[in-house]
Amino acid sequence: MEKSLTVISSMLIALIVLVACNTEETPEPESESNEVETDQSDKENNVLAEGEFDDQLDLAIGDTGRVDTLSGAYGVTVDRVELLEDIDGELPELDHFLLVTYTVQNIGDEDLDAREAVDILESTHRLEGSGYSDNAQYYEQFNAIEGILAPDEQVTGEALYSAYDSEEYFLRVTDGLVGSGAAKNQIQFSFQKGDIE
């Protein structure tokens, strides 16, 4: 009988402890104002809640687009754009050469190949069509973008594209790369022919 009372007492104590644990006050969630501030800050940096960059489709000359790829995360600034009719007498395959000066900054945690960062970008005059890739590395007179960038390092250099004559031009991440997931978001610069030097 004494043994049964001991077992029952032990069970009652365990039950009381269990009930006490379940009725402890839970901490209050963070205030809504903090969440709003974080969301606003994320929007300003074009960052989604998960930490990935959002699409940035309304960029202009002088703006910086931030892109996240399998190679790393980086910022791309279009510093300057020029239309060239020829290169030392060599005529373009299309109507013009489009010479773009970019600054690429590694904003990720790992080293970044600057050449790969520029290679995902293309020039086009029609968003529905395909674009043209950079050919600056094939010409000695241009400062093609290359090298390995450590986190926070940046490099400025030139990219050379073939271009049709148009009133408007676009620079963007190649659509197929976004579709395949090699690039996690799209950046798109647009500018008028009148904005080009």
Side-chain angles (χ1 to χ4, degrees), residues 20 25 29 42 47 53-55 59 67 69 71 79 83 87 91 106 112 121 148 155 161 175 179 183 195-197:
E25 288 186 22
D42 286 348
V47 178
F53 298 113
D54 201 355
D55 289 342
L59 302 170
V67 64
T69 71
S71 300
D79 299 312
L83 274 181
I87 299 172
L91 297 176
N106 183 354
L112 175 74
L121 301 172
I148 302 299
V155 64
Y161 303 98
D175 271 343
D195 298 331
I196 302 174
E197 298 180 22

Side-chain angles (χ1 to χ4, degrees), residues 72-116:
Y74 50 93
V76 178
T77 305
V78 174
D79 299 312
R80 180 179 177 189
V81 181
E82 298 174 69
L83 274 181
L84 305 178
E85 299 303 323
D86 68 272
I87 299 172
D88 293 338
E90 178 187 337
L91 297 176
E93 290 180 17
L94 304 178
D95 298 321
H96 309 285
F97 291 108
L98 195 64
L99 182 64
V100 180
T101 303
Y102 288 117
T103 297
V104 177
Q105 181 178 17
N106 183 354
I107 56 176
D109 299 326
E110 305 290 332
D111 287 353
L112 175 74
D113 185 327
R115 174 82 254 145
E116 287 182 20

Side-chain angles (χ1 to χ4, degrees), residues 28-186:
E28 290 184 18
E30 291 184 23
S31 68
E32 286 185 22
S33 63
N34 285 345
E35 290 176 13
V36 171
E37 288 173 14
T38 302
D39 289 346
Q40 184 62 33
S41 173
D42 286 348
K43 285 179 184 173
E44 289 171 4
N45 292 317
N46 297 323
V47 178
L48 294 176
E50 308 84 64
E52 294 179 359
F53 298 113
D54 201 355
D55 289 342
Q56 299 134 67
L57 305 178
D58 57 352
L59 302 170
I61 296 173
D63 289 342
T64 300
R66 293 169 179 83
V67 64
D68 191 6
T69 71
L70 296 178
S71 300
Y74 50 93
V76 178
T77 305
V78 174
D79 299 312
R80 180 179 177 189
V81 181
E82 298 174 69
L83 274 181
L84 305 178
E85 299 303 323
D86 68 272
I87 299 172
D88 293 338
E90 178 187 337
L91 297 176
E93 290 180 17
L94 304 178
D95 298 321
H96 309 285
F97 291 108
L98 195 64
L99 182 64
V100 180
T101 303
Y102 288 117
T103 297
V104 177
Q105 181 178 17
N106 183 354
I107 56 176
D109 299 326
E110 305 290 332
D111 287 353
L112 175 74
D113 185 327
R115 174 82 254 145
E116 287 182 20
V118 174
D119 280 345
I120 74 162
L121 301 172
E122 65 180 7
S123 166
T124 185
H125 69 290
R126 286 186 319 120
L127 290 176
E128 304 78 28
S130 59
Y132 301 92
S133 57
D134 171 30
N135 291 307
Q137 67 269 29
Y138 303 118
Y139 294 87
E140 289 183 6
Q141 59 266 56
F142 298 117
N143 179 27
I145 296 174
E146 54 189 24
I148 302 299
L149 300 177
D152 295 325
E153 283 188 338
Q154 66 181 34
V155 64
T156 297
E158 296 167 318
L160 183 71
Y161 303 98
S162 294
Y164 284 104
D165 189 37
S166 178
E167 290 304 310
E168 188 171 28
Y169 295 92
F170 304 92
L171 298 166
R172 65 181 180 190
V173 174
T174 304
D175 271 343
L177 296 178
V178 176
S180 69
K184 298 174 186 175
N185 67 297
Q186 178 63 272

